[in-house]
Amino acid sequence: TAYQNAYELKSSKVDDPWAKLISVCNVLNNTTPANLADSLKTVLAVDRCLWFIAMENLFTDEDSYLTKGADYQLYYEGGTGLLHPLQFDGNETFKTNDTNLSPVYGETLAIRPLISRLLAVPELRQRYLAHVRTIMNESLDWTVLEKKVTAYQALIGEEVAADTKKLSTNAQYASSAADLKNMVTARKTYLSGFAEVNRTAPAITSVAREMTVARDIAGMAVRVTAKVT
């Protein structure tokens, strides 16, 4: 009943969807740190969660699991038996007042176990920080985002100017690209100076898989070889 009061069930094709959520929360909250990584990966898409948290953090989502413990969705994947987090309602991102938000914000908050419990496991913390570096270098970069911003401006510019009910002025809209650039640049500068983030990442120079059959079969073991320096 407590779970049903806190979550809204959108749809389900399993008899007791609440049991899946309760199982994940039980493992997350009541497993020792030494056993958490192994136990949690049997019920939760752990790596997806790390990407999920990193994305909300780097783009400073003020209406999210990260900040409010709300406005996110969960999806149970029957094929793997794992629960996945889904980003939802990202309209409060790119906040200029949050450019110095710590990349490990929430690590001491017991009410954010998806952050505090996962980041307390050294292996998962390092994987999370690797995701932070990837997003920072490949997406949180104005040389990448400027092209997207320019394209969207060209797409909606005339509609924005004609809108009589918008919440900002035409002048504010015109200057918004510069505001975005300042925010993204400041955020990346701050993150680059964060000791745990500003480290040299491994270089993965090749990845190959051994093909023993014409196509994959469910349950089949697959050998993957990677070269890392």
Side-chain angles (χ1 to χ4, degrees):
T1 301
Y3 281 86
Q4 291 173 338
N5 289 335
Y7 291 84
E8 178 184 356
L9 180 63
K10 293 292 187 179
S11 64
S12 178
K13 293 183 180 180
V14 297
D15 293 334
D16 187 4
W18 300 102
K20 309 299 182 183
L21 174 61
I22 292 170
S23 175
V24 169
C25 292
N26 181 46
V27 173
L28 182 62
N29 289 320
N30 299 312
T31 305
T32 62
N35 297 319
L36 186 60
D38 287 335
S39 297
L40 201 55
K41 69 182 181 182
T42 64
V43 293
L44 180 68
V46 176
D47 197 58
R48 178 69 62 88
C49 290
L50 296 174
W51 281 109
F52 168 74
I53 298 166
M55 183 176 66
E56 289 195 338
N57 184 294
L58 268 67
F59 291 99
T60 64
D61 192 346
E62 288 192 350
D63 193 12
S64 62
Y65 175 83
L66 176 75
T67 55
K68 296 181 179 178
D71 270 2
Y72 64 97
Q73 295 181 339
L74 296 170
Y75 170 74
Y76 174 71
E77 184 181 35
T80 61
L82 301 179
L83 205 66
H84 291 252
L86 300 178
Q87 174 69 15
F88 178 72
D89 191 11
N91 68 321
E92 294 186 33
T93 52
F94 296 100
K95 295 294 185 178
T96 55
N97 57 316
D98 288 335
T99 53
N100 288 355
L101 179 70
S102 169
V104 292
Y105 173 81
E107 65 174 335
T108 61
L109 296 178
I111 59 174
R112 297 289 183 276
L114 200 59
I115 300 174
S116 59
R117 296 282 289 164
L118 294 185
L119 295 191
V121 179
E123 171 194 343
L124 299 182
R125 186 185 188 92
Q126 290 306 314
R127 196 191 306 181
Y128 167 79
L129 290 168
H131 294 344
V132 167
R133 293 185 197 99
T134 298
I135 297 172
M136 183 181 74
N137 292 327
E138 296 183 4
S139 300
L140 192 71
D141 188 303
W142 190 246
T143 59
V144 175
L145 291 177
E146 184 178 19
K147 298 175 183 177
K148 298 179 182 293
V149 171
T150 301
Y152 280 127
Q153 281 185 314
L155 178 67
I156 69 174
E158 292 183 2
E159 283 74 16
V160 171
D163 184 2
T164 60
K165 298 183 182 295
K166 55 180 172 284
L167 301 179
S168 58
T169 66
N170 289 328
Q172 288 173 318
Y173 170 74
S175 65
S176 61
D179 295 335
L180 276 174
K181 179 180 180 180
N182 292 337
M183 184 276 166
V184 169
T185 302
R187 183 83 177 116
K188 185 169 185 177
T189 298
Y190 170 76
L191 292 169
S192 299
F194 199 85
E196 283 192 280
V197 174
N198 188 18
R199 293 181 179 177
T200 302
I204 305 173
T205 54
S206 67
V207 179
R209 58 166 296 181
E210 182 180 294
M211 296 295 291
T212 57
V213 293
R215 64 183 182 87
D216 293 337
I217 302 172
M220 179 182 70
V222 177
R223 180 182 295 275
V224 178
T225 302
K227 184 177 181 181
V228 184
T229 56

